[in-house]
Amino acid sequence: AGGVALAAGGTLLAWYKGWISILEHPRAVVAIVYRGDKVVMVRRRGHAEPLTWQFPAGHLKRPDDAAVRAIEEVREETGIVCEFESTLGERLHPDTKVYVHYVVCRYASGSLRNLDSKENEAVGWVGARTAGDRITTDLDENVRQFLSKLGKK
């Protein structure tokens, strides 16, 4: 008999007749940057995937670097400076099969602009109440709740 289990940190453990193998999923960090009741979103350029609007995100090599990587990715994609505030959790994304770390950051300074025009078509401040409607893949429940609370401010 065999089975599969998701361990902490996105490690997939698969076992069959006593043998265990570890299958690593790609990792990413998603930065939900807010200012007042608005959040930063980027519109991806010409991808065949169902995801078009998203929060700034990037590949993550080490899960303990999620906050640092989120801040770097936001600056690289949008030109703004943000400060780490909290984590919203992590999960294996059901649509992309990427292990995602969700990070909340507070806007600090700078003008929002598209600095990654190769990957993104547009960047913008979007009302928290409508941001979730722009996400075309499964929206994490913790992110949904955060946007809901932010939209009520």
Side-chain angles (χ1 to χ4, degrees):
V4 176
L6 185 64
T11 302
L12 188 66
L13 301 175
W15 64 90
Y16 180 74
K17 294 186 179 180
W19 290 92
I20 297 177
S21 67
I22 298 174
L23 309 169
E24 285 289 330
H25 284 275
R27 295 173 183 270
V29 61
V30 171
I32 298 101
V33 181
Y34 75 94
R35 178 175 68 178
D37 65 348
K38 297 188 182 316
V39 292
V40 174
M41 294 191 80
V42 299
R43 182 175 175 154
R44 294 174 59 147
R45 180 179 297 286
H47 284 272
E49 300 141 11
L51 184 63
T52 53
W53 281 96
Q54 67 178 37
F55 301 106
H59 296 285
L60 186 62
K61 292 182 181 163
R62 295 180 40 187
D64 55 340
D65 291 341
V68 171
R69 186 71 191 115
I71 291 167
E72 290 171 350
E73 194 65 32
V74 168
R75 189 183 67 249
E76 290 169 9
E77 287 188 28
T78 70
I80 64 172
V81 176
C82 63
E83 298 170 352
F84 171 77
E85 188 169 283
S86 65
T87 59
L88 287 178
E90 51 193 64
R91 70 171 176 158
L92 180 63
H93 195 287
D95 297 328
T96 63
K97 304 303 181 218
V98 172
Y99 197 78
V100 182
H101 299 257
Y102 297 96
V103 174
V104 174
C105 296
R106 188 176 44 260
Y107 167 83
S109 65
S111 297
L112 188 66
R113 57 196 190 281
N114 185 6
L115 295 182
D116 190 359
S117 59
K118 188 186 260 186
E119 191 167 315
N120 299 320
E121 217 169 76
V123 299
W125 288 105
V126 176
R129 288 184 182 197
T130 60
D133 297 337
R134 292 186 182 214
I135 304 286
T136 53
T137 59
D138 185 72
L139 183 61
D140 179 73
E141 186 56 32
N142 293 328
V143 174
R144 185 182 310 283
Q145 289 175 12
F146 175 78
L147 293 173
S148 177
K149 287 179 187 173
L150 193 61
K152 292 178 182 173
K153 286 187 173 181

